Amino acid sequence: MTPLESSPAWKALARHHSEIEPLHLRDLFATDPHRFDRFSREACGLLMDWSKHRITDRTLALLFELARERDLEGWRDRMFAGERINWTENRAVLHVALRNRSNRPILIDGQDVMPEINAVLARMADFTARVRGGEWKGYTGRPIRDVVNIGIGGSDLGPRMVVRALRPYGEGGPRVHFVANVDATELAETLEGLDPEATLFVIASKTFTTLETLTNARSARAWLVERLGSEAAVARHFVAVSTNREAVAAFGIDIDNMFGFWEWVGGRFSLWSAIGLPIALAVGMERFEALLAGAHAMDEHFRTAPLEENLPVILGLLGLWYADFFRAPTWAVLPYDQSLELFPAWLQQTEMESNGKRVDRAGRIVSWPTSPVVWGAPGTNGQHAFFQLIHQGTQLVPADFIATARSHHPWGDHHRLLLANCLAQTEALMRGKSEAEVRRELEAEGLSGEALERLLPHKLFPGNRPTTTLLMEQLTPERLGALIALYEHKVFVQGAVWGINSFDQWGVELGKQLAGAISPELVEGRASEGHDASTRGLMEWYLRHRG
Ligand code: F6P
């Protein structure tokens, strides 16, 4: 594949960018009353509005051309066909098979993966019903009241975000907690007040070698055995979710209590597999299946809709437009929905671990920015914290706003106020406030002369700050599934066009290796010569102060 910069569409986009740069969104709206109709679309229960982006029809046409030149459709079809597109690990990328509710055969090396997927789903359904129904008993005969999922990264962020988001659907189920950090604070604070007789641990790790997860799992196991007085209790209180049977058995978890998945499920795309067990335990298997169905609907949309009508494609290309041509270093995701408070954290791993890459498929260093830094927090809280920078700072921060028409908590005026703020923010970011408007306002307040002129620049809003708005009727399992899949495919689109491998994560390895070397030195109480002066100095300070 030719380098991205030599693609004709890329070169045309670079030229086109200088035509777009001086245009203001306010004028684009003023001259085109149909802008919203043309630049918004509903699919899978989600309305996406991209009319408040710094684009014209020509911008989109060039972006679609670029996607075609980069064979986006070919890459997409290869993913759905089970080809080993994660070539650095020689793996297929088939999280879409996990939620393939149509059950159409999906083959890897000629073998249909659907029967295995359905078998695990059936086991999850059975186990979930037994735990939620009180039939599954702890060692002393008590039903399960609390579930603690121990995992990290993709074995934590996805299920943690979904369980939080679907809290209104949690009645009748156990309380589900999550522990990820190797800092014992998280485990200790989670276990405080839990009754070991009624607590079930789910040890979630694709590899079952992850230091944080195994350390937490060992401590949880010691906590349980000490309190229940017998090793035999482990079988009733520990289940595992993994691809590594041997390691699960070596840890002491009965293989009958293990839920499997497959190497072709990437960690950050695994919430649809048995890694979603805590979701099913929290809200029931039917709702977990509704989540899968929502994602499947988005998969079908992504797989079949023309690029021009394809929401993940449009979202992905807009991201690329700002990252590469405006050189916007970050992208904010701002859910106006408290239930989605963990969505930005989940999205950080999904986008940044996938597309935070600096070499293309051929191993050449890329000369264009890849993934921006993704960040965000729920509205309206952010408005009283970092929105100042988005409105008036020096950096361009494109942002996605996500909201629902109906709240699960329809109290008084809350939801209307929430929505009014969400819509007002995107309007304000787009329009800004011109000098003439500020001048009029200040004059109306009785200011004039030097006092007015001094204040005026501080009260100006440049506007022209791009946003996407995503609306859905209500945050249901199905809609949430579609929303998550939308962003997963956005990541795919960008990776395909950038020509990078979105599905490996070698960048996390070096730190793990070095921690593996430092840790035993801290046990021995010495910092070896091999470290640089800074690291050695810090180690020595720690050794003097650790108490
Ligand atoms: O270190 C990064 C990573 O490999 C992630 O990609 C993954 O989601 C996480 O660690 C957890 O891995 P595992 O599920 O194997 O414990």
Side-chain angles (χ1 to χ4, degrees):
M1 172 164 282
T2 49
L4 190 51
E5 305 103 314
S6 45
S7 119
W10 179 273
K11 288 184 188 156
L13 276 162
R15 285 193 299 275
H16 175 68
H17 173 250
S18 52
E19 293 157 18
I20 288 289
E21 184 87 90
L23 302 184
H24 199 291
L25 274 168
R26 195 198 266 240
D27 302 322
L28 293 175
F29 273 99
T31 54
D32 178 4
H34 302 295
R35 192 171 164 88
F36 172 77
D37 303 328
R38 286 186 301 111
F39 295 156
S40 69
R41 193 184 157 79
E42 212 173 322
C44 313
L46 305 180
L47 168 70
M48 188 167 110
D49 169 21
W50 62 94
S51 60
K52 291 195 184 88
H53 277 287
R54 294 173 67 176
I55 52 165
T56 60
D57 292 300
R58 169 109 182 109
T59 322
L60 285 176
L62 287 173
L63 287 167
F64 295 131
E65 210 174 300
L66 176 70
R68 291 201 166 91
E69 274 179 16
R70 304 293 286 175
D71 193 24
L72 169 62
E73 288 146 306
W75 283 103
R76 176 191 62 189
D77 295 346
R78 287 193 273 285
M79 171 174 74
F80 278 95
E83 284 187 31
R84 294 175 189 270
I85 59 170
N86 173 3
W87 63 96
T88 57
E89 296 180 312
N90 192 29
R91 288 177 184 166
V93 174
L94 270 186
H95 46 283
V96 293
L98 301 167
R99 57 214 191 193
N100 171 21
R101 307 308 286 163
S102 73
N103 228 359
R104 108 192 123 75
I106 296 188
L107 311 180
I108 296 185
D109 299 336
Q111 180 119 15
D112 185 8
V113 295
M114 291 315 299
E116 275 191 88
I117 290 172
N118 292 331
V120 174
L121 283 172
R123 284 192 61 221
M124 284 172 69
D126 174 61
F127 181 70
T128 300
R130 285 198 286 148
V131 172
R132 287 173 60 88
E135 205 186 304
W136 175 282
K137 301 274 194 283
Y139 180 61
T140 59
R142 302 267 308 278
I144 299 302
R145 269 209 332 249
D146 289 278
V147 171
V148 180
N149 188 81
I150 296 182
I152 197 164
S155 302
D156 168 75
L157 288 164
R160 195 194 283 250
M161 178 270 285
V162 173
V163 167
R164 169 66 189 95
L166 298 184
R167 198 180 285 169
Y169 295 89
E171 83 287 354
R175 292 179 301 194
V176 179
H177 316 265
F178 290 85
V179 172
N181 201 334
V182 74
D183 180 343
T185 307
E186 196 178 18
L187 181 64
E189 289 179 354
T190 303
L191 296 184
E192 243 167 47
L194 293 198
D195 176 357
E197 293 181 55
T199 299
L200 176 77
F201 291 94
V202 178
I203 312 301
S205 174
K206 179 175 173 183
T207 55
F208 228 78
T209 57
T210 304
L211 171 97
E212 291 88 339
T213 301
L214 291 189
T215 306
N216 279 322
R218 277 189 215 103
S219 299
R221 187 192 152 117
W223 176 87
L224 185 98
V225 169
E226 193 195 305
R227 278 159 183 79
L228 299 189
S230 171
E231 280 284 332
V234 171
R236 304 304 304 164
H237 292 268
F238 276 76
V239 299
V241 181
S242 187
T243 58
N244 187 344
R245 288 170 72 87
E246 292 72 31
V248 169
F251 181 84
I253 295 178
D254 190 341
I255 289 301
D256 287 345
N257 290 346
M258 171 181 153
F259 298 85
F261 62 113
W262 307 272
E263 59 152 38
W264 41 263
V265 182
R268 53 194 172 275
F269 302 95
S270 63
L271 72 91
W272 320 100
S273 71
I275 289 289
L277 187 64
I279 304 172
L281 289 167
V283 298
M285 195 64 188
E286 268 178 34
R287 280 160 179 160
F288 181 66
E289 284 172 0
L291 183 84
L292 300 183
H296 177 60
M298 186 56 77
D299 294 342
E300 288 303 283
H301 169 74
F302 178 52
R303 194 169 69 85
T304 58
L307 300 191
E308 287 73 8
E309 294 167 21
N310 199 309
L311 300 193
V313 171
I314 295 165
L315 196 59
L317 293 175
L318 287 170
L320 188 136
W321 173 233
Y322 293 105
D324 294 338
F325 297 96
F326 287 82
R327 302 269 159 160
T330 82
W331 191 286
V333 58
L334 307 164
Y336 272 63
D337 190 317
Q338 192 61 29
S339 302
L340 288 174
E341 65 177 327
L342 301 181
F343 195 78
W346 165 80
L347 191 61
Q348 278 180 334
Q349 186 195 16
T350 304
E351 294 214 16
M352 292 163 74
E353 196 167 68
S354 298
N355 286 341
K357 308 283 165 66
R358 60 190 274 284
V359 293
D360 69 7
R361 282 185 210 114
R364 292 175 297 223
I365 292 185
V366 300
S367 57
W368 53 90
T370 56
S371 176
V373 172
V374 176
W375 60 285
T380 56
N381 308 15
Q383 289 174 211
H384 299 274
F386 52 77
F387 269 52
Q388 163 64 40
L389 181 149
I390 307 184
H391 281 287
Q392 286 189 315
T394 52
Q395 294 192 24
L396 181 72
V397 184
D400 294 344
F401 285 69
I402 306 172
T404 67
R406 288 204 306 274
S407 170
H408 283 289
H409 302 284
W411 282 18
D413 273 353
H414 287 252
H415 202 65
R416 185 168 50 80
L417 292 172
L418 178 70
L419 253 288
N421 272 279
C422 174
L423 302 178
Q425 287 299 326
T426 65
E427 190 172 35
L429 287 163
M430 182 276 283
R431 290 166 49 123
K433 200 188 275 182
S434 69
E435 187 176 327
E437 286 167 330
V438 177
R439 197 174 284 284
R440 263 201 307 279
E441 272 184 18
L442 291 178
E443 282 167 358
E445 286 167 25
L447 253 75
S448 62
E450 206 198 318
L452 184 150
E453 297 304 329
R454 249 204 334 250
L455 203 49
L456 192 134
H458 300 277
K459 293 229 165 189
L460 280 179
F461 286 71
N464 216 15
R465 314 244 150 163
T467 60
T468 323
T469 303
L470 282 156
L471 296 180
M472 66 192 95
E473 267 182 33
Q474 195 165 33
L475 189 64
T476 60
E478 215 153 344
R479 295 295 171 261
L480 180 62
L483 181 73
I484 297 171
L486 167 70
Y487 277 91
E488 286 181 347
H489 293 319
K490 170 201 171 181
V491 167
F492 182 90
V493 168
Q494 295 186 333
V497 177
W498 280 324
I500 57 181
N501 182 0
S502 302
F503 300 102
D504 59 13
Q505 55 285 315
W506 300 108
V508 300
E509 293 303 321
L510 180 59
K512 286 187 198 173
Q513 271 172 13
L514 296 188
I518 289 176
S519 183
E521 292 184 23
L522 297 182
V523 175
E524 289 165 23
R526 65 177 187 93
S528 74
E529 289 300 310
H531 300 291
D532 60 87
S534 160
T535 308
R536 210 170 48 243
L538 295 168
M539 288 170 74
E540 283 164 356
W541 191 94
Y542 162 74
L543 290 169
R544 282 197 303 279
H545 291 86
R546 67 177 165 180

